[in-house]
């Protein structure tokens, strides 16, 4: 039955092709012009897109314009949106062709002012000044002006606030102490150890440590208190283990940490706390002695 249904569908599609061709041929071509009428004769940079088409960036001097053409799709969902940028880093966005709003027009001119864009429909018996006079957002026949959306205003305010706060964030970052993490191979039987450590933002290259060798890496915790470095540890016989070597909530009070790696698990040793290295090894059952503590590997491998 599936083959019969498919055959019927293909036959129906072939009979409907002339209809679809007529629909497509009746879709009128739309002409959209964008003109730079910014005050102070500022230059305007325009970049327009739809879901399917990307109109290349246009650079318009005062009173210059550019034009693009397209045919709306048969589903009535055609949408072109544009970004507009001028001096002082100002950038605004607007839906320049929205099918439901503009479907009755084939020739549309958008005049771009600093307050907002104005739609001017050619040959409706009114001059260009009609549009400019109605910049408060009320339509006069088919001409209407819009204000830039509040979302863009809010974004501009946020950017301004962010710029004023940069010195503060700089101070916060500069006060974030650098963390030093050392990893030492103390595997019994003097096995070699392969170590690979990562965070969400950093990938520390693979390290190959012989017995009692160590390597060191440095980092600054982020200001959100979410810093996490995790490592994989591999040795002979295909054994591979994984462990969170720096976890902010667990380790935030320390700036110099040494991890000693044993086959039973990793042991954290805090430098200069008045105890020798052996203190850590003795507590391999998982109980802490001051700031030194050992962990067992989880049952999960790498």
């Amino acid at each position: 039955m599936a083959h019969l249904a498919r055959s019927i569908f293909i036959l129906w599609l072939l009979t409907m092709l002339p209809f679809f061709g007529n629909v497509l041929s009746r879709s009128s071509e739309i002409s959209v012009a964008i003109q730079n009428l910014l005050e102070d004769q500022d230059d305007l940079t325009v970049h327009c897109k739809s879901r399917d088409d990307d109109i290349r960036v246009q650079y318009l001097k005062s009173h210059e314009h550019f034009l693009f053409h397209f045919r709306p799709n048969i589903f009535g969902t055609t949408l072109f949106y544009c970004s507009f940028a001028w001096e002082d880093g100002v950038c605004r966005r607007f839906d320049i062709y929205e099918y439901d709003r503009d479907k009755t027009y084939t020739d549309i001119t958008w005049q771009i002012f600093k307050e907002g864009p104005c739609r001017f429909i050619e040959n409706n018996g009114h001059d260009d000044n009609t549009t400019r006079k109605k910049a408060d957002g009320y339509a006069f026949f088919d001409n209407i002006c819009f204000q830039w959306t509040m979302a863009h205003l809010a974004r501009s305010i946020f950017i301004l606030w962010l710029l004023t706060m940069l010195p503060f964030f700089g101070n916060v970052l500069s006060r974030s102490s650098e963390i030093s993490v050392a990893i030492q191979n103390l595997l019994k039987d003097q096995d070699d150890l392969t170590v690979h450590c990562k965070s969400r933002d950093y990938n520390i290259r693979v390290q190959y440590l012989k017995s009692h060798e160590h390597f060191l890496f440095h980092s600054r915790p982020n200001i959100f208190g979410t810093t996490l470095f995790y490592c994989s540890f591999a040795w002979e016989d295909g054994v591979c283990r994984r462990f969170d070597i720096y976890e902010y909530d667990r380790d935030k009070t320390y700036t110099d940490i040494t991890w000693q790696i044993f086959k039973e698990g990793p042991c954290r040793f805090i430098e200069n706390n008045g105890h020798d290295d052996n203190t850590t090894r003795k507590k391999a059952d998982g109980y802490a002695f001051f700031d030194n503590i050992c962990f067992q590997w989880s049952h999960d491998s790498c």
Side-chain angles (χ1 to χ4, degrees), residues 95-198:
D95 293 340
I96 211 73
Y97 183 87
E98 185 180 307
Y99 183 81
D100 288 339
R101 182 192 65 204
D102 305 313
K103 61 186 175 184
T104 56
Y105 314 117
T106 56
D107 293 283
I108 306 172
T109 296
W110 286 96
Q111 300 169 329
I112 307 303
F113 302 93
K114 289 188 177 181
E115 297 90 341
C118 293
R119 186 187 68 192
F120 179 75
I121 306 303
E122 301 287 347
N123 303 319
N124 68 345
H126 304 283
D127 59 32
D128 287 5
N129 291 330
T130 305
T131 305
R132 191 68 192 109
K133 292 174 182 175
K134 307 311 294 181
D136 56 359
Y138 293 94
F140 189 81
F141 290 92
D142 292 328
N143 303 333
I144 187 171
C145 289
F146 298 85
Q147 290 184 336
W148 303 115
T149 62
M150 290 300 293
H152 294 98
L153 177 61
R155 183 164 55 187
S156 298
I157 293 173
F158 171 74
I159 292 172
L160 181 62
W161 172 83
L162 189 60
L163 290 173
T164 60
M165 293 296 289
L166 279 178
F168 167 76
F169 288 127
N171 291 335
V172 170
L173 292 172
S174 65
R175 290 199 299 268
S176 175
S177 299
E178 185 179 66
I179 304 300
S180 172
V181 178
I183 297 175
Q184 185 182 22
N185 174 11
L186 290 184
L187 295 176
K188 63 183 179 182
D189 304 325
Q190 296 189 332
D191 288 348
D192 294 343
L193 178 66
T194 301
V195 185
H196 189 191
C197 296
K198 293 182 180 182

